[in-house]
């Protein structure tokens, strides 16, 4: 048998065995509660892993064949519906059809409809405006209908493994298993032993201006999928009763939009490296988080060269830099009118001149004369403090217990994000500022009492020997400064959750900065597996902590009675044991 014939025969056999495996895994489904999710996720993940490996080897034909197989499978259709109706934060935000939530019966019906997804004609997205953090500007979102969201989730299950095998190593935004902390750690490793010039760049209206034809050509997918993606891009947007056509851009708010934006920007890092020789390329670093990126290089001439390449490359996908927000700075010294350092993803990155005894060292010997510090940015600190202070001022009649519970949620979340950098002094300063705000709150509630009476009533030294604001019920305000500082370990190179090493990703999830101390301990005790379904946690999973035996049924509040679940597993458990469900979110919060 000739080599080509043998290859095609092996490929048919592989395709046939995969089809038979999917059929064997196909459940007889009568109700949503009876679906064997563990079996379905295993079947889909095995196909995704094969797509990832075929993409790594450059076998486009095998990739497209496996993607078709995945999208036809009932397992993938059910998982896509579950993702948009149970897991996603914006699951209760309606599109133009007004559908906010689906009953279990309607979910099964939608999964069945996805069988004929090639005949779907997408509806326009609904325009929703949300404020940009710390700015007067607003960001436009385009909310698809529930059916379009489920279709996009199905396509994303098939496309994501293909592109995860191709994305550049220093791309961190909107990708499974990667985040802002990995990007910051990449910058830290780049400049810790050498000061550099930085192109701090901003793409103007990235999501709104991507050229459709350039994006579709770059995707290089099979015709049916190309038609579906083109239909979403051209579907239009509706604000009020009028629908407007969309000739450019990908709508923010769609399930697949972040992936399409990453595909559009894929290749920029490679294009920049190509204009530098091998020796120079070792000193060049490009770190991109979605549409925000920085370029670091030892010389100013090299930064100008890289900027020219970026401008030309972006023009090819219909984008350009925002001249007002793009600047060139130096990490150690002031450059013209620009102060040293730069802000990126809410962090301030800067190097400070220091004496011999405080200086960093290269190779353990060479004295550098500076120290690299990454801290929360001034804008981020100001936003956080103003948010806390505004809530306290607006709720002067709220009971101390309710006030403390709300503030604790805000403080814990903010500190978790910044606990991997040099933040201890910032945390301590915020605690001093909050002491003043809370003292004014107490003075308003007790105008006839003096300072000594107020401090005895509300401030106490508790078990950890810290002076803290405490309610009469004994609930204490969390101190920013009590958050331990610990370095984040950057994701390795081009590692991906589709590479099959689930243990690596489960333990990275345990050590993630946004995983709380209790949740991290529980994940470790559960060996990285969900208490409900027994599946290994994956980086993109939404996790929630709950009591194994509800407190309303006599369960204790100790850690031995707590466990970590997938969000959908938590919903199933809540319905089964009859405990109180989570409070409903508002549409603004979902958006």
């Amino acid at each position: 048998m000739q080599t080509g014939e043998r290859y095609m025969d092996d490929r048919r056999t592989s395709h046939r065995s995969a089809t038979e495996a999917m059929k064997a895994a196909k459940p007889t489904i009568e109700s949503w509660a009876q679906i064997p999710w563990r079996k379905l996720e295993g079947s889909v993940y095995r196909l995704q892993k094969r797509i990832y490996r075929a993409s790594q080897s450059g076998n486009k034909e095998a990739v497209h064949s496996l993607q078709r197989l995945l999208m036809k499978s009932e397992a993938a259709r059910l998982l896509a519906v579950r993702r948009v109706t149970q897991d996603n934060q914006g699951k209760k935000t309606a599109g133009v059809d007004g559908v906010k939530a689906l009953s279990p019966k309607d979910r099964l019906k939608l999964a069945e409809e996805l069988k004929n997804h090639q005949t779907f004609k997408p509806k326009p997205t609904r325009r929703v405006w949300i404020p940009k953090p710390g700015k007067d500007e607003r960001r436009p979102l385009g909310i698809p209908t529930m059916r379009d969201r489920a279709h996009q989730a199905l396509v994303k299950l098939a496309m994501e493994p293909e592109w995860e095998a191709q994305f550049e190593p220093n791309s961190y935004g909107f990708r499974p298993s990667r985040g802002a902390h990995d990007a910051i750690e990449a910058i830290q490793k780049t400049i810790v032993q050498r000061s550099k010039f930085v192109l701090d760049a901003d793409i103007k209206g990235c999501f709104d201006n991507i050229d459709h034809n350039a994006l579709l050509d770059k995707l290089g997918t099979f015709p049916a999928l190309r038609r579906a993606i083109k239909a979403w891009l051209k579907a239009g947007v509706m604000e009020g009763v009028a629908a407007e056509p969309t000739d450019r851009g990908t709508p923010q708010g769609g399930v697949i939009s972040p992936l399409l934006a990453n595909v559009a920007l894929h290749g920029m890092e490679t294009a920049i490296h190509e204009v530098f020789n091998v020796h120079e390329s070792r000193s060049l670093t490009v770190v991109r988080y979605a549409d925000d990126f920085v370029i670091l290089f030892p010389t100013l001439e090299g930064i100008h060269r890289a900027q020219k390449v970026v401008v030309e490359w972006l023009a090819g996908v219909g984008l350009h830099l925002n001249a007002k927000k793009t600047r060139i700075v130096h990490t150690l010294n002031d450059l013209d009118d620009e102060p040293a350092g730069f802000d990126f993803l809410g962090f301030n990155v800067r190097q400070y001149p220091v004496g011999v005894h405080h200086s960093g060292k290269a190779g353990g010997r060479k004295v550098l004369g500076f120290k690299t510090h990454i801290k929360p940015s001034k804008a981020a600190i100001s936003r956080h403090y103003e948010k806390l202070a505004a809530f306290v001022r607006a709720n002067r009649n709220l009971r101390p217990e309710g006030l403390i519970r709300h503030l604790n949620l805000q403080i814990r979340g903010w500190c978790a994000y910044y606990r991997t950098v040099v933040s201890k002094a910032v945390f301590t300063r915020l605690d001093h500022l909050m002491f003043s705000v809370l003292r004014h709150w107490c003075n308003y509630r007790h105008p006839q009492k003096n300072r000594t009476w107020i401090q005895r009533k509300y401030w106490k030294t508790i078990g950890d020997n810290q002076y803290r604001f405490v309610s009469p019920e004994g609930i204490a305000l969390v101190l920013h400064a009590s958050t331990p500082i610990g370095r984040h370990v950057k994701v390795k190179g081009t590692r991906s959750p589709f590479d099959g090493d689930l243990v690596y990703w489960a333990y990275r999830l345990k050590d993630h900065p946004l995983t709380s101390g209790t949740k991290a301990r529980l994940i470790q005790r559960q060996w990285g597996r969900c208490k409900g379904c027994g599946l290994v946690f994956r980086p993109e999973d939404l996790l929630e902590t709950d009591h194994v035996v509800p407190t309303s049924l006599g369960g204790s509040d100790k850690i031995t009675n707590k466990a970590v679940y997938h969000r959908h597993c938590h919903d199933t458990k809540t319905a089964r044991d009859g405990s109180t469900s989570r409070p409903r979110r508002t549409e603004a919060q979902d958006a």
Side-chain angles (χ1 to χ4, degrees):
M1 185 182 291
Q2 295 181 359
T3 304
E5 293 176 349
R6 186 185 299 113
Y7 166 76
M8 290 303 296
D9 186 57
D10 291 344
R11 186 173 165 274
R12 291 190 196 98
T13 303
S14 176
H15 183 87
R16 187 162 51 248
S17 62
T19 305
E20 291 170 355
M22 295 297 288
K23 288 180 178 179
K26 182 178 179 179
T28 303
I29 298 168
E30 296 180 358
S31 72
W32 190 259
Q34 295 177 349
I35 296 176
W37 293 113
R38 180 170 183 168
K39 194 172 184 180
L40 302 189
E41 290 207 19
S43 299
V44 170
Y45 182 70
R46 282 191 290 272
L47 267 179
Q48 288 181 315
K49 197 162 57 170
R50 291 181 62 190
I51 293 170
Y52 175 82
R53 290 173 178 168
S55 181
Q56 272 188 322
S57 63
N59 191 342
K60 278 281 187 181
E61 190 177 355
V63 168
H64 295 165
S65 178
L66 290 167
Q67 286 175 333
R68 291 189 191 96
L69 179 62
L70 178 64
M71 292 173 64
K72 288 179 182 177
S73 71
E74 187 171 24
R77 288 187 277 113
L78 288 167
L79 288 173
V81 172
R82 188 184 69 179
R83 172 65 66 179
V84 300
T85 59
Q86 287 188 281
D87 290 348
N88 284 359
Q89 293 284 5
K91 61 187 177 183
K92 293 181 181 177
T93 304
V96 295
D97 59 354
V99 177
K100 285 188 176 182
L102 296 180
S103 65
K105 185 177 180 180
D106 290 334
R107 292 173 198 157
L108 287 172
K109 183 179 177 181
L110 178 56
E112 187 67 22
E113 289 177 0
L114 286 177
K115 190 182 293 185
N116 302 316
H117 62 83
Q118 292 186 2
T119 63
F120 282 1
K121 183 178 180 181
K123 293 185 178 181
T125 58
R126 183 171 73 92
R127 174 70 77 217
V128 174
W129 294 89
I130 61 171
K132 290 186 177 181
K135 299 179 182 178
D136 296 330
E137 304 173 27
R138 294 193 301 167
R139 177 184 289 114
L141 295 186
I143 310 298
T145 63
M146 191 66 75
R147 190 181 71 168
D148 288 338
R149 271 181 265 178
H151 188 192
Q152 290 182 18
L154 179 63
V155 171
K156 186 178 179 183
L157 284 175
M159 283 184 56
E160 197 165 48
E162 174 193 1
W163 283 96
E164 277 296 308
Q166 300 180 43
F167 282 144
E168 292 153 326
N170 282 321
S171 165
Y172 298 100
F174 300 133
R175 291 181 59 188
S177 76
R178 293 168 179 254
H181 297 89
D182 295 303
I184 293 299
E185 193 63 23
I187 293 173
Q188 160 77 12
K189 291 182 179 298
T190 297
I191 65 173
V192 68
Q193 293 188 350
R194 186 176 185 180
S195 61
K196 292 189 177 182
F197 290 90
V198 182
L199 174 64
D200 181 11
D202 180 82
I203 300 175
K204 188 172 183 179
C206 177
F207 280 85
D208 300 327
N209 294 296
I210 293 173
D211 183 84
H212 288 173
N213 292 329
L215 173 59
L216 291 169
D217 291 342
K218 185 176 286 190
L219 285 170
T221 188
F222 53 93
L225 192 52
R226 179 188 173 97
R227 285 194 299 270
I229 295 172
K230 184 176 180 179
W232 290 326
L233 296 175
K234 303 290 187 182
V237 62
M238 183 174 288
E239 187 169 6
V241 295
E244 300 177 3
T246 48
D247 298 324
R248 305 178 69 82
T250 62
Q252 297 184 64
V255 176
I256 203 170
S257 296
L259 175 60
L260 295 180
N262 268 335
V263 172
L265 295 174
H266 171 66
M268 183 175 67
E269 180 181 344
T270 303
I272 296 170
H273 276 279
E274 285 176 352
V275 300
F276 292 84
N277 61 42
V278 176
H279 176 72
E280 291 175 328
S281 190
R282 294 195 189 105
S283 301
L284 173 70
T285 303
V286 182
V287 177
R288 182 174 68 82
Y289 186 92
D291 58 338
D292 294 327
F293 66 94
V294 292
I295 301 174
L296 303 100
F297 194 71
T299 68
L300 185 59
E301 182 273 333
I303 290 294
H304 285 301
R305 204 188 330 164
Q307 184 176 11
K308 183 178 178 182
V309 175
V310 169
V311 171
E312 294 175 355
W313 189 90
L314 288 177
V317 290
L319 301 174
H320 60 274
L321 295 178
N322 188 335
K324 293 182 179 179
K325 296 182 180 179
T326 299
R327 62 197 193 108
I328 297 177
V329 298
H330 192 261
T331 55
L332 177 61
N333 304 313
D334 294 347
L335 184 64
D336 298 329
D337 296 330
E338 297 288 352
F342 61 97
D343 290 348
F344 189 61
L345 304 178
F347 296 86
N348 177 258
V349 182
R350 186 179 171 184
Q351 293 167 327
Y352 297 83
V354 292
V356 175
H357 299 293
H358 293 88
S359 170
K361 294 182 180 179
R365 295 183 178 182
K366 180 183 176 182
V367 176
L368 300 174
F370 61 81
K371 197 83 169 178
T372 301
H373 281 177
I374 300 179
K375 305 176 181 179
S377 68
K378 290 182 179 179
I381 297 169
S382 177
R383 281 198 305 269
H384 175 63
Y385 169 71
E386 287 299 329
K387 188 175 183 179
L388 296 180
F391 181 82
V392 173
R393 296 188 192 106
N395 292 273
R396 290 178 170 177
N397 295 319
L398 190 65
R399 288 176 57 83
E401 179 185 4
L403 182 77
I404 291 173
R405 287 188 187 279
H406 178 87
L407 293 178
N408 281 352
L409 288 174
Q410 301 293 327
I411 292 171
R412 285 195 182 102
W414 194 84
C415 291
Y417 185 76
Y418 289 105
R419 70 182 177 90
T420 62
V421 295
V422 185
S423 302
K424 187 62 78 173
V426 172
F427 289 169
T428 302
R429 179 175 160 228
L430 284 168
D431 286 331
H432 285 300
L433 292 173
M434 285 306 299
F435 176 84
S436 177
V437 171
L438 290 169
R439 192 172 64 185
H440 280 86
W441 182 84
C442 294
N443 290 338
Y444 177 84
R445 292 175 63 89
H446 306 283
Q448 305 300 322
K449 302 296 184 179
N450 59 34
R451 181 180 298 181
T452 302
W453 185 92
I454 287 174
Q455 292 195 189
R456 284 178 179 173
K457 179 175 177 63
Y458 289 104
W459 275 271
K460 293 180 174 60
T461 301
I462 56 177
D464 53 3
N465 202 29
Q466 292 178 326
Y467 197 52
R468 297 164 71 180
F469 185 75
V470 182
S471 72
E473 296 82 5
I475 300 173
L477 181 72
V478 170
L479 294 179
H480 293 78
S482 64
T483 304
I485 304 297
R487 269 280 180 223
H488 174 69
V489 179
K490 189 178 83 67
V491 63
K492 292 181 181 178
T494 56
R495 291 294 299 267
S496 168
F498 300 109
D499 60 15
D501 191 353
L502 295 182
V503 175
Y504 172 80
W505 296 110
Y507 274 88
R508 272 192 65 81
L509 182 65
K510 172 183 70 70
D511 296 326
H512 193 276
L514 298 182
T515 302
S516 67
T518 300
K519 187 180 288 185
R521 289 197 297 274
L522 290 172
I523 290 173
Q524 191 170 25
R525 289 180 59 180
Q526 295 170 207
W527 293 91
R529 295 180 179 271
C530 174
K531 181 71 173 178
C533 64
L535 285 172
V536 173
F537 290 128
R538 295 168 66 183
E540 66 271 23
D541 290 338
L542 296 172
L543 311 183
E544 295 184 348
T545 305
D546 192 19
H547 296 88
V548 177
V549 179
T551 53
S552 59
L553 300 179
S556 71
D557 199 38
K558 295 181 180 179
I559 193 170
T560 52
N561 188 43
K562 293 181 179 180
V564 179
Y565 301 83
H566 291 110
R567 171 172 286 183
H568 47 269
C569 293
H570 185 199
D571 287 342
T572 303
K573 174 189 175 297
T574 299
R576 184 177 63 248
D577 60 29
S579 58
T580 305
S581 61
R582 298 186 306 275
R584 295 187 63 176
R585 296 171 60 86
T586 64
E587 182 173 322
Q589 288 174 314
D590 285 334

